[in-house]
Every structure is written in structure tokens, then in C-alpha cells.
Amino acid sequence: MAAAGLAGGVSPAGVVLAGVVAAAAVLAGLMVVIAGTRDVSILGGSVGRRVFWALLVMGGGTVGWALGSLVDAAEPWLTNDPLVTSLLGGVPFALAAALFVRGWWVSVTAVGLIVAMLVATVVVLRREPPDDLEARLAANNVQRETSYAVAVPGYQPNAGRDYGNGLGGASFFPMHPDPEPPARYVTITVSDRLAPGEQLCGQPTAQDSQLASGDCTIEPNGLVYRHNPPLHGYQVPFARFFVTVAGTPTVGQDLLRAAALSLRPASADEMGGDREDAGLFVAATIPGYTGRMTEAPPGMRYDPVDRTDSGGDTGFTMEVTYADGNDICLAATECKPEGADLTYVRLRMLGPSNPETHGYVVRRGRVNVSVTGALRVDRTLLRQAALDARPATDDELRRALPPPRRQYSRIDRLRERLRERLRSF
């Protein structure tokens, strides 16, 4: 009742006053009891001893009642009936009074019952609370069927889905990552207008050019080489457009010059189909590089055919989705089955800053387990991780998923502290 009052917003002064009134009422009732039973009590011989008896019984009974309240909060099945609750609430006071009854067998029986109640209290408080896994899953918007775990030597899971002992269910990062190599790519962008008043080495600059400033050199063939760290390259006219061919520092100047001299309209295959804005996409022939269309900005991006050194971290991600309606080859540039339920996929997203990824998808009943990473991540590692992935256990899910937020009363907090102390023994 006190816990309910505190939770309901009763002021501390009101709680103290109620406690004082209740204690006085209990003490008065006990004085009436000892007055009527003083002949059978070892403390009934005088008024002073009877007051002492009442104080002892009230103190001992209150301690027993408090322990009973903690047990009741942990296992409420005992006290669904208000009458039963009232009767059981008086048991601790009766046992405390029995300790002072004449006759050793009564006192010994009371001591035995008190010990039994203390043992029962410890057992109940040491027990884990009722299974809250379903509540954790719901609170974190997680499906049990799509919760998988895997451990990969040399990798550690992120904190978002860390199941412990190296097991994880989302992103993984190397424990000792290698330095990421510098990016290596070429971009070709098109503009239909010039930036007013801007030029390098006498050459007007295209609007929104990546090479709008920096150093420049006029080459014997008439091309203007532009160096605007961290990019360098050329701007050349093409039909009615101004085309900028730019590369990262790891791309050679000779390769960029050759690309600028080999410009041609992008084909439908290079653009992923016929487009109304096809004129904004210009392609080039760059040996050892493969091109793909980009949307922001519109243009083409060329990456090395062997892109294992072209950027992207060495981490990987595991994702589990329901298989129905999930076409694993839809966004793949390569989709190659390697068994009845195992498929290698290679994916690339639109946009120059999105690295190409690859990995494996394995079918597990109603779900697909996908393990993918940048091209720098070893293909064999990704394959083994996909094959080793398994459903997460209940204990692993409890470790990874925080419990739902709830309001704790003072009794709740006391019970949890007692549980922690008792479980440590």
C-alpha cells in the first residue's frame, strides 16, 4: 500500500504521518492482546514488560511483513484474494508473539517456521523474474525468427547487436584493421553552361565543375590540365556540353588524358536503359576500369576492375530477411548460385561515394541470411560467416536487447538490489 501511495503522488509528509498513525494503532492493538494473554507470555508480568513485548512483536512482525511484501511482489499468485492477503499479513506478528509464549516447544516451533520463511524468501528473491524476452523483442522491434548470431575470428560485433563471446547479429569490424588504401576512381560529369567569370589558363570553367580552381597547365595538344587537390584532370568540350574528367591522386595523368580524348555518348547498357536525359551522360574508354552511372551528380564513375584496393572498410554486415517476395538478385550485378541454398552476390549502389559490395546469401527455412562487405573483405570469409550463422538463443537475445523502460517504485528498486546481492552468493 505504501508503494502504491508513493507511485500515486502522495507527499512524503503524508506517508510519514500515515506510518505513524498505523504504528500507533498496531501498538495499541498489541497492548490489548498482551493484556488478555499475559498469563501465557514470559513478558506479561508487568506493564513495562508488556510494553516491551508489544514493541518486540511489532518490530519483528513488521520486518516479516516487509519481507513478505517483497515475495508477494515477485510471486503475486499467493495473494489474489484480499482475505488471504489479510490473513497472511498477520502471520509474521503471530510468529513474533509465539517466541515469547511459555513452553519451549512453542518457541522452537516458531523459530523453525521463521527460518523456513526466511529460506523461502531467499529462494524466491534469487529466482529470475518472469520471462521478459517477448517484451524485449517488442520494445526493440526485433523478430525472433530473423535474429541470427555468428562469430568470426578476428572480428568483433558492434554494440547494437552484441550477443557476447564474439557473437553478433548485425555489423562486424576487424579487431586490428588494416589502413584503408586511398580511393582510386575517375568521374565524368557534364554541364551545359559555363560559370560566369571563372577560368583557368584562359579556359572558361564549366558550372559546378570539380576542377574550378587550383593550378593549371596548357599541354602541347591544346588540352588544359587542371589540378584542384584532391582531384586532377581535364575539362573538354563535347558537342554542346562541357565535360569534366576528374580522378583521384592515385589515378595517373596519362590515363586521365587518354580518357578525355576518348569521350563518346554513353550507351543504353551503360545507363541501365534508355533515358530521356541521355545527353547528360558521356562515357570514355579507360583500360582496367569499369563504368557505372551516377545520379548525384549526373554522370559516370569508373572504378578499377579489381576493386579490392579501391576503398571501403574491411567490416561486413549480416542481415536476415523473410525470403518470401525477396529477390536476392534484383539489385545484383552478379548473382551466382553455389549450391542449393547458397548464392554469391555482387552489388553496387548509385552514387559516387557508395562502394561496391559482395557477399553471400544463404536460405534458412523462411528467411534469407545475407552477409556482405566491401570488395576488400575476403570472399571466403563472407561465405563461411553466412554458412555459420545460426538462430540467436534466448540468453543471447536478453544480453543484446535492453529491457523495456518502466517506472520502478521504491519497493521494486529494493527488491532488485536484494536479488542482485542474493544472486552473488
Side-chain angles (χ1 to χ4, degrees):
M1 294 297 292
L6 288 173
V10 178
S11 66
V15 173
V16 172
L17 179 61
V20 171
V21 172
V26 171
L27 185 62
L30 291 174
M31 288 299 298
V32 172
V33 171
I34 188 59
T37 59
R38 57 189 176 185
D39 293 337
V40 298
S41 174
I42 59 176
L43 296 177
S46 65
V47 174
R49 299 182 73 179
R50 289 196 290 273
V51 172
F52 184 52
W53 177 91
L55 291 173
L56 289 176
V57 172
M58 185 175 68
T62 301
V63 171
W65 176 84
L67 291 175
S69 297
L70 294 177
V71 173
D72 173 50
E75 301 291 340
W77 59 271
L78 285 172
T79 56
N80 290 331
D81 189 330
L83 178 60
V84 175
T85 301
S86 301
L87 293 175
L88 292 178
V91 170
F93 296 92
L95 290 176
L99 292 174
F100 307 107
V101 173
R102 298 182 185 276
W104 64 268
W105 64 273
V106 177
S107 300
V108 170
T109 301
V111 169
L113 291 174
I114 291 172
V115 171
M117 291 182 66
L118 290 174
V119 171
T121 300
V122 171
V123 169
V124 170
L125 292 178
R126 279 179 59 91
R127 283 185 56 187
E128 292 291 337
D131 186 12
D132 65 343
L133 180 56
E134 294 301 328
R136 292 182 183 233
L137 291 169
N140 291 276
N141 196 26
V142 173
Q143 300 291 328
R144 184 193 295 262
E145 195 172 8
T146 59
S147 298
Y148 272 62
V150 70
V152 178
Y155 281 77
Q156 59 187 359
N158 69 355
R161 194 64 66 85
D162 186 351
Y163 294 128
N165 300 319
L167 288 162
S171 299
F172 294 78
F173 300 95
M175 296 179 181
H176 307 288
D178 297 327
E180 183 174 341
R184 182 160 58 101
Y185 62 84
V186 177
T187 61
I188 299 178
T189 55
V190 178
S191 177
D192 62 354
R193 66 192 65 184
L194 297 173
E198 294 187 15
Q199 62 176 10
L200 284 179
C201 290
Q203 182 188 53
T205 299
Q207 188 166 317
D208 299 325
S209 171
Q210 300 178 82
L211 302 175
S213 60
D215 301 327
C216 63
T217 303
I218 301 177
E219 298 185 348
N221 57 8
L223 294 179
V224 176
Y225 171 70
R226 297 173 174 236
H227 186 208
N228 181 25
L231 299 175
H232 68 136
Y234 296 86
Q235 178 187 299
V236 296
F238 183 83
R240 63 182 182 86
F241 299 109
F242 307 94
V243 179
T244 301
V245 180
T248 57
T250 52
V251 179
Q253 182 179 345
D254 291 341
L255 186 143
L256 293 173
R257 182 187 304 111
L261 294 173
S262 67
L263 296 178
R264 55 177 172 77
S267 66
D269 289 340
E270 289 172 316
M271 293 185 296
D274 294 328
R275 297 174 60 103
E276 294 182 359
D277 57 351
L280 294 178
F281 296 92
V282 175
T285 300
I286 307 179
Y289 284 70
T290 180
R292 60 187 173 99
M293 183 186 69
T294 62
E295 294 284 1
M300 300 290 295
R301 168 169 166 151
Y302 289 82
D303 295 281
V305 174
D306 179 9
R307 294 186 58 199
T308 56
D309 65 343
S310 62
D313 60 41
T314 53
F316 65 90
T317 300
M318 181 172 71
E319 183 180 9
V320 183
T321 57
Y322 286 103
D324 290 344
N326 180 20
D327 185 356
I328 62 175
C329 296
L330 181 62
T333 58
E334 183 179 350
C335 192
K336 181 180 179 181
E338 294 189 5
D341 298 314
L342 183 66
T343 304
Y344 172 76
V345 294
R346 188 159 172 163
L347 309 159
R348 63 184 180 191
M349 305 299 291
L350 296 177
S353 61
N354 293 323
E356 193 170 5
T357 61
H358 72 148
Y360 281 86
V361 181
V362 60
R363 179 71 178 264
R364 299 291 191 197
R366 299 201 316 139
V367 301
N368 285 330
V369 180
S370 172
V371 179
T372 57
L375 295 184
R376 296 180 62 203
V377 183
D378 182 64
R379 177 170 171 172
T380 303
L381 181 147
L382 297 173
R383 184 180 192 274
Q384 193 60 48
L387 293 173
D388 290 344
R390 57 162 178 77
T393 66
D394 290 355
D395 288 341
E396 290 165 351
L397 287 170
R398 289 191 186 93
R399 175 189 173 95
L401 302 177
R405 291 185 176 182
R406 54 166 292 191
Q407 296 294 327
Y408 284 91
S409 68
R410 293 181 181 180
I411 288 184
D412 289 329
R413 290 192 289 269
L414 174 61
R415 184 171 64 254
E416 290 304 316
R417 285 196 293 269
L418 286 174
R419 271 184 162 147
E420 292 175 2
R421 293 288 182 87
L422 291 171
R423 283 197 291 266
S424 65
F425 289 110

